[in-house]
């Protein structure tokens, strides 16, 4: 099972850089569908991804049709859109025999309407209030991807980690510190 974040014609280098960093931290493949609104070596994108670009598996696709041709018969593709009525957390992402592709649209116009209609049953929504038009693209990717990874048990990821200069290392041997009732007045 492999998770893929797919960005359809992304425009903002900082969003793509942040998403690449999330992909590096979660062992997720990043698929970029051209045309991009920036050069792949854009300084803003590299700065947002910091020094993690060499830890991300990136697949470039000439267009949407070229991307679709790479999908296998058992792959699951989901289109993330504010126009869907199905919540992204209602889907089961745990089949180990499938690869999961989460497709996100261009920051300004989203995904093409004809594409969304063709795959109507694959459209998922992130709940939000009507106070905003949409969430930031990199935040949307993180929400959906982390839900899939949570369901999958965070494969190949450290759930906990102890650092040499760990700010909490003295507390690991004293679990009673975490058992306090936080509502108590002391």
């Amino acid at each position: 099972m492999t998770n893929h974040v797919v960005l359809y014609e992304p425009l903002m280098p900082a969003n793509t850089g942040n998403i690449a960093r999330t992909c590096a931290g979660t062992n997720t493949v990043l698929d970029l569908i051209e045309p991009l609104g920036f050069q792949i070596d854009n300084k803003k994108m590299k700065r947002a991804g910091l020094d993690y670009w060499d830890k991300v598996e990136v697949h470039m696709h000439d267009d949407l049709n070229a991307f679709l041709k790479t999908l296998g018969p058992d792959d699951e593709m989901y289109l993330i859109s504010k126009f869907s009525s199905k919540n992204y957390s209602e889907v089961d992402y745990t089949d180990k025999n499938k690869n999961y592709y989460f497709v996100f649209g261009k920051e300004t116009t989203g995904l093409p309407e004809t594409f969304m209609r063709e795959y109507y049953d694959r459209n998922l929504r992130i709940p939000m209030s009507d106070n905003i038009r949409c969430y930031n693209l990199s935040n949307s990717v993180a929400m959906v991807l982390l839900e899939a990874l949570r369901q999958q048990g965070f494969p190949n990821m450290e759930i906990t980690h102890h650092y040499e200069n760990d700010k909490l290392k003295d507390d690991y041997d004293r679990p009673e510190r975490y058992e306090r009732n936080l509502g108590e007045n002391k």
Side-chain angles (χ1 to χ4, degrees):
M1 166 177 33
T2 302
N3 293 311
H4 291 249
V5 166
V6 182
L7 302 182
Y8 172 78
E9 299 182 2
L11 294 172
M12 299 178 186
N15 279 337
T16 302
N18 286 330
I19 292 165
R21 184 175 182 170
T22 298
C23 289
T26 58
N27 302 307
T28 300
V29 176
L30 177 59
D31 291 83
L32 298 175
I33 298 174
E34 297 184 275
L36 309 182
F38 50 85
Q39 296 296 320
I40 200 76
D41 60 352
N42 183 292
K43 287 181 185 178
K44 289 181 183 176
M45 188 174 77
K46 287 191 175 196
R47 187 173 349 146
L50 296 173
D51 54 348
Y52 303 110
W53 280 101
D54 63 328
K55 306 212 179 354
V56 181
E57 183 178 338
V58 179
H59 299 169
M60 299 296 296
H61 306 279
D62 291 336
D63 55 35
L64 188 55
N65 287 329
F67 161 72
L68 290 172
K69 289 177 184 174
T70 67
L71 298 177
D74 294 328
D75 291 340
E76 293 284 344
M77 178 181 67
Y78 295 102
L79 287 56
I80 311 304
S81 170
K82 71 178 184 178
F83 298 108
S84 177
S85 58
K86 186 172 185 176
N87 186 326
Y88 75 100
S89 65
E90 296 173 6
V91 176
D92 180 353
Y93 307 110
T94 59
D95 189 333
K96 293 185 185 326
N97 297 313
K98 296 184 178 195
N99 296 313
Y100 293 94
Y101 290 80
F102 302 102
V103 184
F104 296 83
K106 187 186 307 190
E107 290 95 335
T108 54
T109 58
L111 293 166
E113 184 177 342
T114 54
F115 176 59
M116 292 172 60
R117 289 186 184 281
E118 183 177 350
Y119 294 96
Y120 180 80
D121 62 328
R122 298 276 133 188
N123 284 272
L124 302 177
R125 176 184 174 81
I126 301 171
M128 65 181 177
S129 74
D130 60 359
N131 293 332
I132 60 172
R133 197 172 42 259
C134 61
Y135 289 114
N136 171 275
L137 179 60
S138 62
N139 291 337
S140 297
V141 167
M143 285 186 253
V144 173
L145 182 58
L146 269 292
E147 171 60 19
L149 290 164
R150 182 194 66 80
Q151 289 184 23
Q152 297 164 1
F154 300 104
N156 303 309
M157 296 173 65
E158 292 181 332
I159 303 300
T160 61
H161 185 87
H162 302 294
Y163 299 90
E164 184 178 329
N165 295 318
D166 200 318
K167 295 176 182 178
L168 296 175
K169 74 178 168 187
D170 293 340
D171 292 331
Y172 295 131
D173 295 326
R174 297 173 21 200
E176 69 278 0
R177 295 203 49 182
Y178 296 108
E179 295 172 3
R180 285 188 269 173
N181 180 346
L182 297 178
E184 280 182 15
N185 291 329
K186 294 212 177 199

